[in-house]
Amino acid sequence: MDTNIRQDAYDQIKYNIVHFHYLPRQKVSEKSIAASLNLGRTPVREALIRIEREGLIDVVPQSGTYIATIDMNIAKEGRFVRECIEPQVMMEALAKHSPAQFKILQQNLNAQKKAAKADQTDLFFDLDQEFHQTFYQIADRSQIWEWLQLNNLQLNRFRRLRLKVPGLDWQTLLAQHEQIIAAFNDCNIDDLNYLIRSHLHLVLDEQQKVIERFPNYFSSNPQFA
């Protein structure tokens, strides 16, 4: 089988889980996913095995395959790791960035504003991801970014779900991104450290509202700590 087909099946299914096209606790099957994505059942089966290992689906004997709920304890651990790593990545990016790379960040922010105005939540989240990834690329730390994405799946699901909660203003994220870019452009190390930590800490600040809006999407008894 073509490796690209295997990867495509994996990428599409994972994207649909993280973006809530498949919902937590929803029962799924190889057949239904293969049909909806116009893929063969073999690459879908192999993708589901990989995704189960990553904690995004649960296979229940004599029952079926279900989209896993979000584990906030794991999400918070992921947030802690990023809060430890990302400020250092920012410092390294400061020493290496070029005007062209800064322009890429500004273009990304402009695209975020358009996506927010159009209420395009999938696109906004993807642009948010690209925004942070760009700093890792500038710092020559792309492998660390890839490692974080593999190990921060629960955090990313929570961050994506946050965009679906009425009343949680997107402008908060946009304003923080604007401030991060401004501090980065000014080489203001103190502000940049503070801003990136505050930005990542937003997960904890808003978790209760998200969990209360989508209680069935989470593992039992999530902790508001």
Side-chain angles (χ1 to χ4, degrees), residues 111-165:
Q112 287 182 46
K113 293 177 181 178
K114 292 179 181 178
K117 187 175 182 180
D119 200 33
Q120 295 176 307
T121 53
D122 277 348
L123 177 58
F124 183 88
F125 179 79
D126 293 342
L127 289 166
D128 186 347
Q129 288 282 85
E130 289 175 14
F131 177 81
H132 289 274
Q133 182 180 14
T134 300
F135 290 103
Y136 286 77
Q137 291 171 337
I138 295 171
D140 294 326
R141 297 294 186 182
S142 292
Q143 287 187 324
I144 291 179
W145 174 261
E146 295 302 326
W147 179 86
L148 286 171
Q149 297 319 294
L150 185 61
N151 289 279
N152 274 5
L153 289 169
Q154 300 298 336
L155 175 63
N156 285 343
R157 294 175 79 197
F158 177 86
R159 290 175 51 241
R160 177 63 185 87
L161 187 60
R162 180 248 186 235
L163 298 175
K164 299 170 72 69
V165 178

Side-chain angles (χ1 to χ4, degrees), residues 14 17-18 20 24 51-58 67-79 82 125 148-162 203 210 217-219:
K14 192 169 179 177
I17 293 173
V18 171
F20 296 90
I51 292 168
E52 180 189 5
R53 291 172 184 157
E54 294 172 3
L56 292 180
I57 63 171
D58 296 320
I67 304 302
T69 52
I70 301 171
D71 188 322
M72 275 306 296
N73 292 322
I74 294 176
K76 286 186 289 184
E77 292 296 309
R79 192 276 314 166
R82 275 193 65 177
F125 179 79
L148 286 171
Q149 297 319 294
L150 185 61
N151 289 279
N152 274 5
L153 289 169
Q154 300 298 336
L155 175 63
N156 285 343
R157 294 175 79 197
F158 177 86
R159 290 175 51 241
R160 177 63 185 87
L161 187 60
R162 180 248 186 235
V203 170
V210 178
Y217 288 6
F218 292 85
S219 304

